[in-house]
Amino acid sequence: VCLTPPSFCPPTQTSHCAGSARALAVTLLQQCSGVVERQLPAVTMLAVLAVVNDATKWVVSGGVAAWLLWRHDEGACWCVCGAVVNAFNCKVLKVIINQTRPSGACRADPGMPSLHGCSLGFLSAYMALVLSAWVGTLASGGALVGGLFLSWLRIALGFHTWAQVAVGHSLGTLCATGWFLFGEAHALPLLRTSARLRIPLFGGTLVLCLAFMTHTLSDLFGIPLPLGLGRRRDREREQ
């Protein structure tokens, strides 16, 4: 029989510590090697969800990069800058609220609101608003549902509580709506008519993209980050 709490409930709390979704799947199957047959589908589903969650950052980041390269205009850069502002606001709220993650979570940083949920809420809502003007409501609904599903994974895998993800996703959605409406009504008309204003927008977007690439490569290959950021992340993992 599968191990009982707290050793193995919920099993996905080991997902972050395992280092990868593949390691998580192996751990789950090893710990449940004697599980009865009717329990195996649940273990398999959790492993599949862990793989999807592990791939989310690459799929979302690749989608944003592809859209930025395809459009390479003021609107695309405005969206990227808004996503950064949204993430910064979320990080500030995390520090102010300072609410712990669920019991057994392997991250030591605060969990309210969920940064993943906030970012996914922003990007899915912003994309829905853009798609509604291009192809209609069906594609917009797909973007919103996709964002909700990916945010829900943070709950299913034990990284956050329902409240933390709900607040984060709602915050991102509200920020995306305000950023989109302000851009369409005020910022983008000015940017499209003034080369002097477009220079800092394009330059800022380039800097942000380079910073994100540096952070991603550092996390992927274990390269230390400047300013002690890498050491801070290592301390969180050790805790």
Side-chain angles (χ1 to χ4, degrees):
V1 178
C2 200
L3 295 177
T4 55
S7 300
F8 187 68
C9 186
T12 47
Q13 288 178 353
T14 61
S15 57
H16 181 75
C17 296
S20 68
R22 180 177 298 177
L24 169 64
V26 172
T27 301
L28 292 176
L29 294 175
Q30 287 177 343
Q31 291 187 353
C32 285
S33 58
V35 74
V36 294
E37 185 175 355
R38 62 184 177 83
Q39 290 178 294
L40 289 177
V43 175
T44 303
M45 179 57 66
L46 290 171
V48 170
L49 293 178
V51 172
V52 175
N53 178 75
D54 193 56
T56 296
K57 62 181 179 180
W58 303 109
V59 174
V60 173
S61 301
V64 172
W67 186 51
L68 186 61
L69 291 173
W70 174 48
R71 299 292 299 176
H72 55 272
D73 59 4
E74 298 84 1
C77 293
W78 181 254
C79 173
V80 171
C81 292
V84 174
V85 171
N86 173 70
F88 177 79
N89 291 338
C90 184
K91 284 181 174 291
V92 171
L93 285 176
K94 270 177 172 272
V95 175
I96 295 175
I97 299 175
N98 196 30
Q99 184 182 97
T100 58
R101 291 173 181 260
S103 176
C106 293
R107 292 293 299 272
D109 61 319
M112 172 65 84
S114 166
L115 179 58
H116 282 79
C118 192
S119 298
L120 290 167
F122 180 94
L123 292 173
S124 61
Y126 200 99
M127 186 56 62
L129 291 168
V130 172
L131 291 175
S132 65
W134 287 0
V135 294
T137 57
L138 183 60
S140 299
L144 293 175
V145 171
L148 287 170
F149 170 73
L150 294 176
S151 292
W152 169 80
L153 286 178
R154 307 299 293 178
I155 304 169
L157 298 177
F159 290 104
H160 291 283
T161 64
W162 276 99
Q164 291 170 353
V165 171
V167 171
H169 195 92
S170 300
L171 176 65
T173 300
L174 290 174
C175 184
T177 304
W179 193 262
F180 177 85
L181 294 177
F182 178 79
E184 291 294 321
H186 303 288
L188 290 176
L190 288 175
L191 291 167
R192 288 165 181 154
T193 57
S194 173
R196 184 173 298 179
L197 293 177
R198 287 197 299 270
I199 292 175
L201 175 67
F202 293 151
T205 303
L206 178 61
V207 171
L208 292 174
C209 290
L210 291 175
F212 178 78
M213 289 176 58
T214 301
H215 180 274
T216 301
L217 292 175
S218 171
D219 191 52
L220 181 63
F221 298 108
I223 304 173
L225 288 172
L227 303 178
L229 297 177
R231 292 191 296 273
R232 183 181 64 184
R233 186 172 64 242
D234 292 338
R235 287 195 299 269
E236 289 179 355
R237 288 175 175 173
E238 290 172 359
Q239 292 175 345

